[in-house]
Amino acid sequence: MSRKKVTIRDIARESGVSVATVSRYLNKNSYTSPETEKKIQKVMERFQYTPNAIARGLAKQKSNTIAFVTPDITNPFFPELVNSIEKVAKAKGYSLLLINTNEQELQNLDFWNHFQSKYIDGFIMAESELNEKARRYLDEMEIPFVRIDRAVHPEHSNSVHVDNFEGARLAVRHLLEIGCKKVAHISGPNSLYPAQERLMGYQNVISNTKMTSIVLEGDFTLESGTAQTEKLLQEHPDVDGIFYANDLMAIGALKAFRAHQKSVPEDIAIMGFDGIRLTEIVHPEISTIKQPIDKIGETATNQLIHFIENPDEVCGENVLLKVELVERESTRR
Amino acid sequence: MSRKKVTIRDIARESGVSVATVSRYLNKNSYTSPETEKKIQKVMERFQYTPNAIARGLAKQKSNTIAFVTPDITNPFFPELVNSIEKVAKAKGYSLLLINTNEQELQNLDFWNHFQSKYIDGFIMAESELNEKARRYLDEMEIPFVRIDRAVHPEHSNSVHVDNFEGARLAVRHLLEIGCKKVAHISGPNSLYPAQERLMGYQNVISNTKMTSIVLEGDFTLESGTAQTEKLLQEHPDVDGIFYANDLMAIGALKAFRAHQKSVPEDIAIMGFDGIRLTEIVHPEISTIKQPIDKIGETATNQLIHFIENPDEVCGENVLLKVELVERESTRR
DNA sequence: TTGAAAGCGCTAACAT
DNA sequence: ATGTTAGCGCTTTCAA
């Protein structure tokens, strides 16, 4: 038996109906009599028919593909996130395209033209920012997207967002509860909104104590965790609790503590933020504020697909998810 | 200004030529006079024309997308790999689809029908195995693919493969050189060819000494690293060197050593395999046999695209890449 | 409820 | 060197 690809026309001919009827059956959007449905169904099975997605895409101007756009997929947040995004997408009949591109290029209208030329139905972005021009262009082209993680910004809607402020408060209060007397914060880049929120959470709690606020700005990388901790230990050798704006920096800090013979949690207790798996792998295991990563991916994807399929519902909401304190060795006294 | 999408017909009309000429210009596969080229070029720029990828796909039966197929993208190997795959793919005009699916489903012909219905041009797989039926089907459909990492198997060609045997030998010899007297191996699953090769490398070196071979089978997970190390310490408390078939298990082992108050490298020296970034993050930093991850991704992608674009060259080669010893704290005496 | 036919936007013979 | 035209496989009016 030759593997000639079977088309809708073959199915139509073989079932004795027109292609239009077969198409209707396929799309279940118009009535078809039960009998013809049965017939078509049978024939499709016999021929192992699978409608051609590309042809469909061309006719409907829709690819049933969404994209995940990021400048750096080695961000440790990424794999789990993609997992849940892909899961939901697949369940709803969408494929996931991975697009690795820098912030620069996202401002380029050509980039979006190519994007549209594939009829990509929408995308999720986790890190970059779009300038005014790009946003307007996307708007004209009616390509929906949702922001998560570092891409969240209060000026823009359509995002899935976690409670960074409350999370930071949880973290700092936890440090106070276990008896820390001098608590510092290594923040994320000030330009990022989630980093600002975490900083504000820290300050909010500290301002209700007699402590003074000690903040150094990091950049969310492992290396900056090590470096800023070094600096902090230099300037304030008596710090006994540190809240890091993300887990990676907290993990990087461990190297600095080792160099300074400080033991965690005995000399200094530390908290991270994110809940990446790495926190359980290092020693000591790091206490953290855990984000519901799967839920973020799921919610974002559901929301995106909702927009795609209901373009009329103009304005998207912002979802806010809860975070949770996870206590581990780094704060166990 | 309305954003009506501009098509090849608009460009043709506006440049005073036929669509065929524009198409030729686009595909640069037939001659067009320099003058008309200039004209067309101008018009395209003026209209910001981007050819519709879906329409092209339908006509050429080709989507210019490749897929990365894996059952578990949280495999720590993944992000860096995808990075290099995507980079090469993009440079050659291909997009990357991420497909998360279990081994089970890969045997399902419907899965491949859907795959084909999108005109996916080829794929890379890193972990699963395909049964005879699926392989034949792919063959009939002429969907090329290449195997890397755990999916490599000596019975199949078209793979990019590292020198596991030699790598294992390097690792074990290194342990001997730093003075280990009793060296054990925690292997990967026996069912996986790369794991077998690493095991053979271990045995090869050990057989040239007066030592006896001590091997426990792990499964490449962090947890199994901890568990098998526990077991090993129970059975052979005097082991003073361990070669782990991958980094993750070596990292998991650290927990076991801590529990048994064994210090690394003083009491026991350990080596991993892979060269994932994590080995530099934990303490002590783990010596390892580093695979050229980027190169694997690049080579695999280049090879895949080569097959896609030269379907005539029937039989694919197997590329073998070198590995490299990286000495870190875990073997520094 | 079903069919005929005109697209969707591009490619690739075949002509000229 | 360029134009005509018939697809690629499916969807969607419009009629019946």
Side-chain angles (χ1 to χ4, degrees), chain A residues 183-286:
Chain A
V183 176
H185 177 51
I186 308 291
S187 74
N190 284 334
S191 58
L192 294 180
Y193 185 62
Q196 290 170 25
E197 290 184 302
R198 291 172 198 179
L199 170 59
M200 284 164 48
Y202 162 80
Q203 288 171 329
N204 174 279
V205 174
I206 291 297
S207 67
N208 288 326
T209 68
K210 57 261 148 260
M211 297 181 192
T212 57
S213 157
I214 306 176
V215 177
L216 290 186
E217 182 180 354
D219 66 4
F220 279 155
T221 64
L222 194 89
E223 292 70 25
S224 99
T226 311
Q228 297 307 76
T229 301
E230 284 284 359
K231 200 165 154 202
L232 181 64
L233 292 177
Q234 226 88 57
E235 297 173 6
H236 303 273
D238 54 336
V239 158
D240 63 353
I242 308 180
F243 165 47
Y244 291 88
N246 79 345
D247 287 336
L248 219 47
M249 294 196 294
I251 290 165
L254 295 177
K255 286 196 197 289
F257 296 134
R258 254 176 244 123
H260 286 248
Q261 324 263 45
K262 295 270 192 183
S263 61
V264 177
E266 293 77 6
D267 302 329
I268 303 192
I270 70 174
M271 288 272 331
F273 198 113
D274 277 354
I276 60 178
R277 184 144 179 259
L278 250 179
T279 49
E280 301 179 67
I281 291 176
V282 295
H283 179 78
E285 296 182 7
I286 312 265

Side-chain angles (χ1 to χ4, degrees), chain A residues 3 90 95 100 118 140, chain B residues 3 90 95 100 118 140:
Chain A
R3 284 226 53 64
K90 182 199 241 168
S95 300
N100 210 224
K118 299 198 149 186
E140 282 177 13
Chain B
R3 285 225 57 63
K90 181 199 240 170
S95 301
N100 209 223
K118 299 199 147 185
E140 283 177 10

Side-chain angles (χ1 to χ4, degrees), chain B residues 77 81 84-85 123-126 145-153 156-164 193-194 197-198 291-305 307 316-322:
Chain B
F77 220 69
L81 205 51
S84 58
I85 293 176
F123 63 98
I124 293 174
M125 51 188 257
F145 63 101
V146 354
R147 299 159 176 273
I148 59 178
D149 201 43
R150 301 190 196 175
V152 169
H153 193 97
H156 305 126
S157 49
N158 296 358
S159 61
V160 176
H161 178 209
V162 299
D163 198 341
N164 291 301
Y193 184 64
E197 290 184 303
R198 291 172 198 179
Q291 299 194 42
I293 304 193
D294 280 359
K295 196 152 189 182
I296 294 174
E298 283 164 24
T299 310
T301 312
N302 277 320
Q303 192 174 314
L304 177 61
I305 293 178
F307 291 153
E317 51 201 317
N318 288 324
V319 177
L320 182 63
L321 300 175
K322 289 210 176 60

Side-chain angles (χ1 to χ4, degrees), chain A residues 108-244:
Chain A
N108 186 337
L109 303 193
D110 276 350
F111 176 84
W112 298 111
N113 282 337
H114 278 107
F115 207 86
Q116 191 196 38
S117 98
K118 299 198 149 186
Y119 293 142
I120 304 293
D121 302 317
F123 64 98
I124 293 175
M125 53 187 257
E127 305 193 42
S128 302
E129 197 39 87
L130 299 170
N131 66 21
E132 177 73 16
K133 190 180 57 160
R135 283 205 310 277
R136 256 209 307 270
Y137 202 61
L138 285 171
D139 214 49
E140 282 177 13
M141 304 206 286
E142 301 185 291
I143 299 181
F145 63 100
V146 353
R147 297 158 178 273
I148 59 178
D149 201 43
R150 301 191 197 176
V152 169
H153 193 96
E155 283 176 16
H156 305 125
S157 50
N158 296 358
S159 61
V160 176
H161 177 211
V162 299
D163 198 342
N164 291 301
F165 181 75
E166 196 49 38
R169 283 168 41 98
L170 278 174
V172 180
R173 282 208 305 258
H174 177 58
L175 289 171
L176 298 181
E177 274 158 19
I178 62 170
C180 294
K181 297 298 173 226
K182 185 158 182 182
V183 176
H185 177 51
I186 308 291
S187 74
N190 284 334
S191 58
L192 294 180
Y193 185 62
Q196 290 170 25
E197 290 184 302
R198 291 172 198 179
L199 170 59
M200 284 164 48
Y202 162 80
Q203 288 171 329
N204 174 279
V205 174
I206 291 297
S207 67
N208 288 326
T209 68
K210 57 261 148 260
M211 297 181 192
T212 57
S213 157
I214 306 176
V215 177
L216 290 186
E217 182 180 354
D219 66 4
F220 279 155
T221 64
L222 194 89
E223 292 70 25
S224 99
T226 311
Q228 297 307 76
T229 301
E230 284 284 359
K231 200 165 154 202
L232 181 64
L233 292 177
Q234 226 88 57
E235 297 173 6
H236 303 273
D238 54 336
V239 158
D240 63 353
I242 308 180
F243 165 47
Y244 291 88

